[in-house]
Short mmCIF file of all heavy atoms in Angstrom, two decimals:
data_model
loop_
_atom_site.label_atom_id
_atom_site.label_comp_id
_atom_site.label_asym_id
_atom_site.label_seq_id
_atom_site.Cartn_x
_atom_site.Cartn_y
_atom_site.Cartn_z
N MET A 16 126.40 135.03 171.82
CA MET A 16 125.94 135.69 170.61
C MET A 16 126.92 135.42 169.47
O MET A 16 128.13 135.46 169.65
CB MET A 16 125.84 137.21 170.86
CG MET A 16 125.32 137.97 169.69
SD MET A 16 124.91 139.67 170.16
CE MET A 16 126.11 140.52 169.21
N THR A 17 126.41 135.15 168.29
CA THR A 17 127.23 134.86 167.13
C THR A 17 127.55 136.15 166.38
O THR A 17 126.68 136.98 166.18
CB THR A 17 126.49 133.90 166.18
OG1 THR A 17 126.02 132.78 166.91
CG2 THR A 17 127.38 133.45 165.06
N GLN A 18 128.80 136.27 165.99
CA GLN A 18 129.22 137.47 165.25
C GLN A 18 128.69 137.38 163.82
O GLN A 18 128.75 136.34 163.18
CB GLN A 18 130.74 137.56 165.23
CG GLN A 18 131.25 138.77 164.48
CD GLN A 18 132.77 138.83 164.47
OE1 GLN A 18 133.44 138.06 165.12
NE2 GLN A 18 133.30 139.76 163.72
N LYS A 19 128.16 138.48 163.33
CA LYS A 19 127.64 138.55 161.96
C LYS A 19 128.80 138.61 160.98
O LYS A 19 129.70 139.43 161.12
CB LYS A 19 126.77 139.80 161.83
CG LYS A 19 126.24 140.00 160.44
CD LYS A 19 125.53 141.34 160.31
CE LYS A 19 125.23 141.58 158.87
NZ LYS A 19 125.29 142.95 158.48
N LEU A 20 128.78 137.73 159.98
CA LEU A 20 129.80 137.78 158.94
C LEU A 20 129.50 138.93 157.99
O LEU A 20 128.34 139.23 157.73
CB LEU A 20 129.84 136.45 158.17
CG LEU A 20 130.34 135.25 158.95
CD1 LEU A 20 130.27 134.00 158.10
CD2 LEU A 20 131.76 135.47 159.45
N PRO A 21 130.53 139.59 157.50
CA PRO A 21 130.32 140.75 156.63
C PRO A 21 129.73 140.36 155.29
O PRO A 21 129.94 139.25 154.79
CB PRO A 21 131.72 141.33 156.47
CG PRO A 21 132.64 140.22 156.76
CD PRO A 21 131.94 139.32 157.73
N GLN A 22 129.02 141.32 154.70
CA GLN A 22 128.42 141.18 153.39
C GLN A 22 129.07 142.20 152.44
O GLN A 22 129.73 143.14 152.89
CB GLN A 22 126.91 141.42 153.47
CG GLN A 22 126.19 140.48 154.42
CD GLN A 22 126.27 139.03 153.99
OE1 GLN A 22 126.02 138.71 152.83
NE2 GLN A 22 126.67 138.16 154.89
N VAL A 23 128.86 142.02 151.16
CA VAL A 23 129.40 142.96 150.16
C VAL A 23 128.89 144.36 150.47
O VAL A 23 127.70 144.56 150.71
CB VAL A 23 129.02 142.53 148.73
CG1 VAL A 23 129.40 143.60 147.72
CG2 VAL A 23 129.69 141.21 148.38
N GLY A 24 129.80 145.31 150.49
CA GLY A 24 129.46 146.71 150.75
C GLY A 24 129.64 147.13 152.19
O GLY A 24 129.63 148.32 152.49
N ASP A 25 129.81 146.18 153.09
CA ASP A 25 130.03 146.51 154.50
C ASP A 25 131.43 147.07 154.73
O ASP A 25 132.39 146.62 154.09
CB ASP A 25 129.87 145.27 155.39
CG ASP A 25 128.45 144.78 155.51
OD1 ASP A 25 127.52 145.46 155.03
OD2 ASP A 25 128.26 143.69 156.10
N GLU A 26 131.54 148.02 155.64
CA GLU A 26 132.84 148.52 156.07
C GLU A 26 133.27 147.67 157.26
O GLU A 26 132.50 147.48 158.19
CB GLU A 26 132.74 149.98 156.48
CG GLU A 26 134.06 150.56 156.94
CD GLU A 26 133.90 152.00 157.36
OE1 GLU A 26 133.16 152.26 158.33
OE2 GLU A 26 134.49 152.86 156.71
N VAL A 27 134.48 147.13 157.20
CA VAL A 27 134.96 146.24 158.25
C VAL A 27 136.30 146.70 158.79
O VAL A 27 137.06 147.39 158.11
CB VAL A 27 135.10 144.79 157.74
CG1 VAL A 27 133.76 144.22 157.33
CG2 VAL A 27 136.09 144.68 156.60
N GLU A 28 136.57 146.31 160.03
CA GLU A 28 137.89 146.50 160.62
C GLU A 28 138.61 145.16 160.50
O GLU A 28 138.14 144.16 161.01
CB GLU A 28 137.76 146.92 162.08
CG GLU A 28 139.09 147.26 162.71
CD GLU A 28 138.92 147.79 164.12
OE1 GLU A 28 138.26 147.10 164.93
OE2 GLU A 28 139.44 148.88 164.40
N TYR A 29 139.73 145.16 159.77
CA TYR A 29 140.47 143.91 159.55
C TYR A 29 141.70 143.81 160.44
O TYR A 29 142.30 142.74 160.57
CB TYR A 29 140.85 143.74 158.07
CG TYR A 29 141.76 144.80 157.53
CD1 TYR A 29 143.14 144.63 157.57
CD2 TYR A 29 141.25 145.97 157.00
CE1 TYR A 29 143.98 145.61 157.08
CE2 TYR A 29 142.09 146.95 156.49
CZ TYR A 29 143.44 146.76 156.54
OH TYR A 29 144.29 147.74 156.05
N ALA A 30 142.09 144.91 161.03
CA ALA A 30 143.19 144.99 162.01
C ALA A 30 142.86 146.22 162.86
O ALA A 30 142.09 147.08 162.44
CB ALA A 30 144.53 145.16 161.30
N PRO A 31 143.43 146.31 164.06
CA PRO A 31 143.10 147.46 164.92
C PRO A 31 143.30 148.80 164.19
O PRO A 31 144.39 149.10 163.71
CB PRO A 31 144.07 147.31 166.09
CG PRO A 31 144.35 145.83 166.15
CD PRO A 31 144.36 145.39 164.70
N GLY A 32 142.20 149.55 164.06
CA GLY A 32 142.26 150.86 163.42
C GLY A 32 142.33 150.85 161.90
O GLY A 32 142.43 151.88 161.28
N ARG A 33 142.26 149.68 161.28
CA ARG A 33 142.36 149.55 159.83
C ARG A 33 141.00 149.17 159.25
O ARG A 33 140.46 148.12 159.57
CB ARG A 33 143.37 148.47 159.43
CG ARG A 33 144.77 148.72 159.91
CD ARG A 33 145.40 149.81 159.10
NE ARG A 33 146.79 149.96 159.47
CZ ARG A 33 147.73 150.27 158.62
NH1 ARG A 33 147.46 150.47 157.36
NH2 ARG A 33 148.97 150.40 159.04
N LEU A 34 140.46 150.05 158.40
CA LEU A 34 139.15 149.84 157.81
C LEU A 34 139.25 149.58 156.31
O LEU A 34 140.12 150.12 155.64
CB LEU A 34 138.25 151.05 158.05
CG LEU A 34 137.97 151.41 159.49
CD1 LEU A 34 137.14 152.68 159.57
CD2 LEU A 34 137.27 150.27 160.22
N ALA A 35 138.34 148.75 155.82
CA ALA A 35 138.24 148.46 154.39
C ALA A 35 136.78 148.12 154.09
O ALA A 35 135.98 147.95 155.00
CB ALA A 35 139.16 147.30 154.01
N VAL A 36 136.47 147.99 152.82
CA VAL A 36 135.12 147.63 152.39
C VAL A 36 135.17 146.26 151.72
O VAL A 36 136.09 145.97 150.94
CB VAL A 36 134.56 148.69 151.42
CG1 VAL A 36 133.25 148.24 150.81
CG2 VAL A 36 134.37 150.00 152.16
N VAL A 37 134.18 145.44 152.01
CA VAL A 37 134.05 144.13 151.36
C VAL A 37 133.55 144.39 149.94
O VAL A 37 132.48 144.96 149.74
CB VAL A 37 133.07 143.22 152.12
CG1 VAL A 37 132.92 141.88 151.39
CG2 VAL A 37 133.52 143.00 153.55
N THR A 38 134.36 144.00 148.94
CA THR A 38 134.00 144.26 147.55
C THR A 38 133.40 143.04 146.87
O THR A 38 132.68 143.16 145.88
CB THR A 38 135.22 144.71 146.74
OG1 THR A 38 136.23 143.70 146.84
CG2 THR A 38 135.75 146.03 147.24
N ASP A 39 133.70 141.85 147.39
CA ASP A 39 133.22 140.63 146.75
C ASP A 39 133.35 139.49 147.76
O ASP A 39 134.12 139.58 148.72
CB ASP A 39 134.07 140.33 145.52
CG ASP A 39 133.41 139.36 144.55
OD1 ASP A 39 132.26 138.93 144.81
OD2 ASP A 39 134.03 139.03 143.53
N ILE A 40 132.61 138.42 147.52
CA ILE A 40 132.77 137.18 148.29
C ILE A 40 132.82 136.07 147.26
O ILE A 40 131.86 135.83 146.54
CB ILE A 40 131.62 136.97 149.29
CG1 ILE A 40 131.58 138.13 150.29
CG2 ILE A 40 131.79 135.62 150.01
CD1 ILE A 40 130.41 138.10 151.25
N ARG A 41 133.98 135.43 147.18
CA ARG A 41 134.21 134.38 146.19
C ARG A 41 134.47 133.06 146.90
O ARG A 41 135.44 132.96 147.67
CB ARG A 41 135.41 134.72 145.31
CG ARG A 41 135.27 136.05 144.61
CD ARG A 41 136.53 136.42 143.86
NE ARG A 41 136.50 137.83 143.53
CZ ARG A 41 137.56 138.58 143.32
NH1 ARG A 41 138.77 138.05 143.40
NH2 ARG A 41 137.43 139.86 143.04
N LYS A 42 133.61 132.10 146.64
CA LYS A 42 133.72 130.77 147.27
C LYS A 42 133.82 130.90 148.79
O LYS A 42 134.61 130.22 149.44
CB LYS A 42 134.90 129.99 146.70
CG LYS A 42 134.76 129.69 145.23
CD LYS A 42 135.91 128.87 144.71
CE LYS A 42 135.72 128.60 143.24
NZ LYS A 42 136.81 127.81 142.68
N GLY A 43 133.05 131.83 149.35
CA GLY A 43 133.03 132.03 150.79
C GLY A 43 134.14 132.89 151.35
O GLY A 43 134.21 133.12 152.55
N VAL A 44 135.03 133.37 150.49
CA VAL A 44 136.16 134.19 150.92
C VAL A 44 135.88 135.66 150.62
O VAL A 44 135.74 136.04 149.44
CB VAL A 44 137.47 133.77 150.21
CG1 VAL A 44 138.63 134.67 150.61
CG2 VAL A 44 137.79 132.31 150.51
N PRO A 45 135.79 136.52 151.66
CA PRO A 45 135.58 137.94 151.40
C PRO A 45 136.85 138.58 150.83
O PRO A 45 137.97 138.23 151.20
CB PRO A 45 135.31 138.53 152.79
CG PRO A 45 135.09 137.39 153.70
CD PRO A 45 135.75 136.21 153.08
N TYR A 46 136.65 139.53 149.93
CA TYR A 46 137.73 140.33 149.38
C TYR A 46 137.53 141.76 149.85
O TYR A 46 136.40 142.27 149.83
CB TYR A 46 137.74 140.27 147.85
CG TYR A 46 138.36 139.01 147.32
CD1 TYR A 46 137.72 137.79 147.46
CD2 TYR A 46 139.60 139.03 146.71
CE1 TYR A 46 138.29 136.62 146.99
CE2 TYR A 46 140.18 137.87 146.24
CZ TYR A 46 139.53 136.67 146.38
OH TYR A 46 140.11 135.51 145.93
N LEU A 47 138.61 142.39 150.27
CA LEU A 47 138.56 143.75 150.80
C LEU A 47 139.28 144.72 149.88
O LEU A 47 140.16 144.32 149.12
CB LEU A 47 139.21 143.81 152.18
CG LEU A 47 138.68 142.88 153.26
CD1 LEU A 47 139.43 143.12 154.55
CD2 LEU A 47 137.19 143.04 153.44
N ARG A 48 138.93 145.99 150.03
CA ARG A 48 139.63 147.05 149.31
C ARG A 48 139.66 148.29 150.17
O ARG A 48 138.69 148.63 150.82
CB ARG A 48 138.93 147.37 148.00
CG ARG A 48 139.67 148.49 147.25
CD ARG A 48 139.19 148.64 145.87
NE ARG A 48 139.47 147.38 145.17
CZ ARG A 48 139.36 147.23 143.87
NH1 ARG A 48 138.99 148.22 143.12
NH2 ARG A 48 139.63 146.08 143.31
N ARG A 49 140.81 148.94 150.18
CA ARG A 49 140.99 150.26 150.79
C ARG A 49 141.28 151.22 149.67
O ARG A 49 141.81 150.84 148.63
CB ARG A 49 142.18 150.25 151.76
CG ARG A 49 141.90 149.53 153.04
CD ARG A 49 143.02 149.67 154.01
NE ARG A 49 143.30 151.09 154.23
CZ ARG A 49 144.32 151.52 154.94
NH1 ARG A 49 145.16 150.69 155.48
NH2 ARG A 49 144.51 152.80 155.11
N TRP A 50 141.01 152.49 149.94
CA TRP A 50 141.28 153.50 148.93
C TRP A 50 142.76 153.46 148.57
O TRP A 50 143.63 153.46 149.44
CB TRP A 50 140.91 154.88 149.46
CG TRP A 50 140.98 155.93 148.42
CD1 TRP A 50 140.00 156.26 147.53
CD2 TRP A 50 142.10 156.75 148.10
NE1 TRP A 50 140.43 157.24 146.69
CE2 TRP A 50 141.73 157.57 147.02
CE3 TRP A 50 143.37 156.88 148.62
CZ2 TRP A 50 142.59 158.50 146.46
CZ3 TRP A 50 144.22 157.81 148.05
CH2 TRP A 50 143.82 158.61 146.99
N GLY A 51 143.06 153.36 147.27
CA GLY A 51 144.43 153.38 146.78
C GLY A 51 145.17 152.06 146.90
O GLY A 51 146.35 151.99 146.56
N ILE A 52 144.51 151.02 147.37
CA ILE A 52 145.15 149.71 147.53
C ILE A 52 144.34 148.68 146.76
O ILE A 52 143.11 148.71 146.76
CB ILE A 52 145.23 149.30 149.02
CG1 ILE A 52 146.08 150.32 149.79
CG2 ILE A 52 145.79 147.90 149.18
CD1 ILE A 52 146.14 150.07 151.27
N ARG A 53 145.02 147.75 146.12
CA ARG A 53 144.34 146.71 145.36
C ARG A 53 143.54 145.80 146.28
O ARG A 53 143.85 145.64 147.46
CB ARG A 53 145.35 145.88 144.59
CG ARG A 53 146.11 146.71 143.56
CD ARG A 53 147.03 145.85 142.80
NE ARG A 53 146.22 145.16 141.80
CZ ARG A 53 146.71 144.56 140.73
NH1 ARG A 53 148.01 144.52 140.55
NH2 ARG A 53 145.93 143.98 139.87
N GLU A 54 142.57 145.15 145.71
CA GLU A 54 141.71 144.21 146.43
C GLU A 54 142.53 143.00 146.90
O GLU A 54 143.45 142.56 146.21
CB GLU A 54 140.64 143.77 145.43
CG GLU A 54 139.58 142.88 145.97
CD GLU A 54 138.58 142.55 144.89
OE1 GLU A 54 138.95 141.86 143.91
OE2 GLU A 54 137.43 142.97 145.03
N TRP A 55 142.18 142.46 148.08
CA TRP A 55 142.89 141.28 148.59
C TRP A 55 141.92 140.36 149.32
O TRP A 55 140.93 140.81 149.88
CB TRP A 55 144.06 141.68 149.49
CG TRP A 55 143.68 142.19 150.85
CD1 TRP A 55 143.59 141.45 152.00
CD2 TRP A 55 143.35 143.52 151.24
NE1 TRP A 55 143.23 142.24 153.06
CE2 TRP A 55 143.07 143.53 152.61
CE3 TRP A 55 143.26 144.74 150.54
CZ2 TRP A 55 142.71 144.68 153.30
CZ3 TRP A 55 142.89 145.88 151.24
CH2 TRP A 55 142.63 145.84 152.59
N PRO A 56 142.21 139.04 149.34
CA PRO A 56 141.35 138.09 150.05
C PRO A 56 141.66 138.09 151.54
O PRO A 56 142.79 138.34 151.95
CB PRO A 56 141.71 136.75 149.42
CG PRO A 56 143.12 136.91 148.98
CD PRO A 56 143.27 138.36 148.59
N VAL A 57 140.66 137.78 152.32
CA VAL A 57 140.80 137.71 153.78
C VAL A 57 141.07 136.26 154.17
O VAL A 57 140.34 135.36 153.74
CB VAL A 57 139.52 138.21 154.47
CG1 VAL A 57 139.58 138.00 155.97
CG2 VAL A 57 139.29 139.66 154.14
N GLN A 58 142.09 136.04 154.96
CA GLN A 58 142.42 134.68 155.39
C GLN A 58 141.44 134.15 156.42
O GLN A 58 141.09 132.98 156.41
CB GLN A 58 143.85 134.65 155.95
CG GLN A 58 144.91 135.04 154.95
CD GLN A 58 144.95 134.11 153.74
OE1 GLN A 58 144.78 132.91 153.85
NE2 GLN A 58 145.14 134.69 152.58
N ASP A 59 140.98 135.00 157.35
CA ASP A 59 140.09 134.58 158.44
C ASP A 59 138.88 135.51 158.51
O ASP A 59 138.90 136.50 159.23
CB ASP A 59 140.87 134.59 159.76
CG ASP A 59 140.02 134.11 160.93
OD1 ASP A 59 138.91 133.58 160.71
OD2 ASP A 59 140.48 134.26 162.07
N PRO A 60 137.81 135.20 157.76
CA PRO A 60 136.64 136.07 157.75
C PRO A 60 136.04 136.32 159.13
O PRO A 60 135.49 137.39 159.39
CB PRO A 60 135.64 135.33 156.86
CG PRO A 60 136.48 134.43 156.01
CD PRO A 60 137.66 134.07 156.86
N ALA A 61 136.16 135.37 160.05
CA ALA A 61 135.61 135.52 161.39
C ALA A 61 136.35 136.60 162.18
O ALA A 61 135.84 137.12 163.17
CB ALA A 61 135.65 134.20 162.14
N ALA A 62 137.56 136.98 161.73
CA ALA A 62 138.34 138.01 162.43
C ALA A 62 137.90 139.42 162.05
O ALA A 62 138.32 140.39 162.67
CB ALA A 62 139.82 137.82 162.12
N LEU A 63 137.05 139.54 161.03
CA LEU A 63 136.57 140.85 160.61
C LEU A 63 135.46 141.34 161.53
O LEU A 63 134.63 140.56 161.97
CB LEU A 63 136.02 140.79 159.18
CG LEU A 63 136.99 140.37 158.09
CD1 LEU A 63 136.24 140.23 156.77
CD2 LEU A 63 138.12 141.37 157.97
N THR A 64 135.47 142.63 161.80
CA THR A 64 134.42 143.25 162.61
C THR A 64 133.67 144.24 161.73
O THR A 64 134.29 145.16 161.18
CB THR A 64 135.02 143.99 163.81
OG1 THR A 64 135.78 143.07 164.59
CG2 THR A 64 133.93 144.61 164.67
N VAL A 65 132.37 144.03 161.58
CA VAL A 65 131.56 144.96 160.78
C VAL A 65 131.41 146.26 161.56
O VAL A 65 130.91 146.27 162.68
CB VAL A 65 130.18 144.37 160.45
CG1 VAL A 65 129.32 145.38 159.71
CG2 VAL A 65 130.32 143.09 159.63
N LYS A 66 131.89 147.36 160.99
CA LYS A 66 131.78 148.67 161.62
C LYS A 66 130.53 149.39 161.14
O LYS A 66 129.85 150.06 161.90
CB LYS A 66 133.02 149.53 161.33
CG LYS A 66 134.25 149.01 162.02
CD LYS A 66 134.02 148.97 163.50
CE LYS A 66 135.29 148.89 164.28
NZ LYS A 66 135.05 148.91 165.72
N ARG A 67 130.26 149.31 159.83
CA ARG A 67 129.04 149.89 159.25
C ARG A 67 128.58 148.98 158.14
O ARG A 67 129.38 148.52 157.32
CB ARG A 67 129.31 151.28 158.66
CG ARG A 67 129.63 152.34 159.67
CD ARG A 67 129.70 153.71 159.06
NE ARG A 67 130.74 153.76 158.03
CZ ARG A 67 130.82 154.73 157.12
NH1 ARG A 67 129.94 155.71 157.10
NH2 ARG A 67 131.79 154.73 156.24
N THR A 68 127.28 148.72 158.09
CA THR A 68 126.74 147.91 157.02
C THR A 68 126.65 148.74 155.74
O THR A 68 126.76 149.96 155.76
CB THR A 68 125.34 147.39 157.37
OG1 THR A 68 124.46 148.51 157.47
CG2 THR A 68 125.35 146.58 158.66
N ARG A 69 126.41 148.05 154.65
CA ARG A 69 126.23 148.74 153.37
C ARG A 69 125.09 149.75 153.48
O ARG A 69 125.20 150.88 153.02
CB ARG A 69 125.95 147.71 152.27
CG ARG A 69 125.73 148.33 150.92
CD ARG A 69 125.56 147.21 149.87
NE ARG A 69 125.44 147.80 148.56
CZ ARG A 69 124.29 147.99 147.93
NH1 ARG A 69 123.15 147.66 148.50
NH2 ARG A 69 124.28 148.53 146.72
N ALA A 70 123.99 149.34 154.10
CA ALA A 70 122.84 150.22 154.25
C ALA A 70 123.19 151.47 155.06
O ALA A 70 122.76 152.58 154.72
CB ALA A 70 121.68 149.48 154.91
N GLU A 71 123.98 151.31 156.11
CA GLU A 71 124.39 152.47 156.92
C GLU A 71 125.29 153.41 156.11
O GLU A 71 125.17 154.63 156.22
CB GLU A 71 125.13 152.00 158.18
CG GLU A 71 124.23 151.31 159.17
CD GLU A 71 124.99 150.61 160.28
OE1 GLU A 71 126.13 150.15 160.06
OE2 GLU A 71 124.42 150.50 161.38
N ARG A 72 126.16 152.84 155.29
CA ARG A 72 127.04 153.66 154.45
C ARG A 72 126.23 154.42 153.41
O ARG A 72 126.48 155.60 153.15
CB ARG A 72 128.10 152.79 153.77
CG ARG A 72 129.11 152.23 154.76
CD ARG A 72 130.18 151.36 154.11
NE ARG A 72 130.80 152.07 153.02
CZ ARG A 72 130.78 151.63 151.75
NH1 ARG A 72 130.19 150.51 151.42
NH2 ARG A 72 131.38 152.34 150.81
N ILE A 73 125.24 153.75 152.81
CA ILE A 73 124.39 154.40 151.80
C ILE A 73 123.61 155.55 152.44
O ILE A 73 123.44 156.61 151.85
CB ILE A 73 123.45 153.38 151.14
CG1 ILE A 73 124.27 152.45 150.24
CG2 ILE A 73 122.34 154.07 150.37
CD1 ILE A 73 123.51 151.25 149.72
N ALA A 74 123.14 155.33 153.67
CA ALA A 74 122.34 156.35 154.36
C ALA A 74 123.10 157.66 154.55
O ALA A 74 122.49 158.72 154.60
CB ALA A 74 121.87 155.81 155.71
N VAL A 75 124.41 157.60 154.65
CA VAL A 75 125.22 158.82 154.82
C VAL A 75 125.98 159.17 153.54
O VAL A 75 126.91 159.98 153.56
CB VAL A 75 126.19 158.72 156.03
CG1 VAL A 75 125.42 158.61 157.31
CG2 VAL A 75 127.17 157.58 155.86
N ASP A 76 125.60 158.52 152.43
CA ASP A 76 126.17 158.80 151.11
C ASP A 76 127.69 158.59 151.09
O ASP A 76 128.43 159.39 150.53
CB ASP A 76 125.84 160.23 150.66
CG ASP A 76 126.03 160.41 149.15
OD1 ASP A 76 125.91 159.43 148.41
OD2 ASP A 76 126.32 161.55 148.75
N ASP A 77 128.16 157.50 151.68
CA ASP A 77 129.58 157.14 151.69
C ASP A 77 129.80 156.04 150.67
O ASP A 77 129.46 154.89 150.91
CB ASP A 77 130.00 156.66 153.09
CG ASP A 77 131.45 156.21 153.14
OD1 ASP A 77 132.18 156.37 152.15
OD2 ASP A 77 131.85 155.68 154.18
N ASP A 78 130.37 156.38 149.51
CA ASP A 78 130.58 155.37 148.48
C ASP A 78 132.02 154.85 148.46
O ASP A 78 132.38 154.07 147.60
CB ASP A 78 130.16 155.88 147.11
CG ASP A 78 130.97 157.08 146.64
OD1 ASP A 78 131.92 157.47 147.35
OD2 ASP A 78 130.65 157.62 145.59
N PHE A 79 132.85 155.26 149.41
CA PHE A 79 134.21 154.73 149.60
C PHE A 79 135.04 154.81 148.33
O PHE A 79 135.63 153.86 147.90
CB PHE A 79 134.14 153.29 150.11
CG PHE A 79 135.41 152.86 150.79
CD1 PHE A 79 135.68 153.28 152.07
CD2 PHE A 79 136.32 152.06 150.17
CE1 PHE A 79 136.85 152.89 152.72
CE2 PHE A 79 137.49 151.67 150.79
CZ PHE A 79 137.75 152.07 152.07
N ARG A 80 135.10 155.97 147.72
CA ARG A 80 135.95 156.14 146.52
C ARG A 80 137.34 156.50 146.92
O ARG A 80 137.64 157.13 147.83
CB ARG A 80 135.39 157.20 145.63
CG ARG A 80 134.17 156.72 144.93
CD ARG A 80 133.75 157.72 143.92
NE ARG A 80 132.32 157.58 143.80
CZ ARG A 80 131.64 158.09 142.82
NH1 ARG A 80 132.21 158.77 141.90
NH2 ARG A 80 130.35 157.91 142.74
#
């Protein structure tokens, strides 16, 4: 089975126990943001694990502010 690459708005785990939201994808490179931390590019997008999709986050009214 192929792992789904994250899309804008998805909540991802980028390290064990560390969650962030994909804010943008520029030239194929996802950018992440955590609350209180500036946005940063991901070196290995395949290493990200989608925990909740954008649609799942919207369904529970989680706007990640």
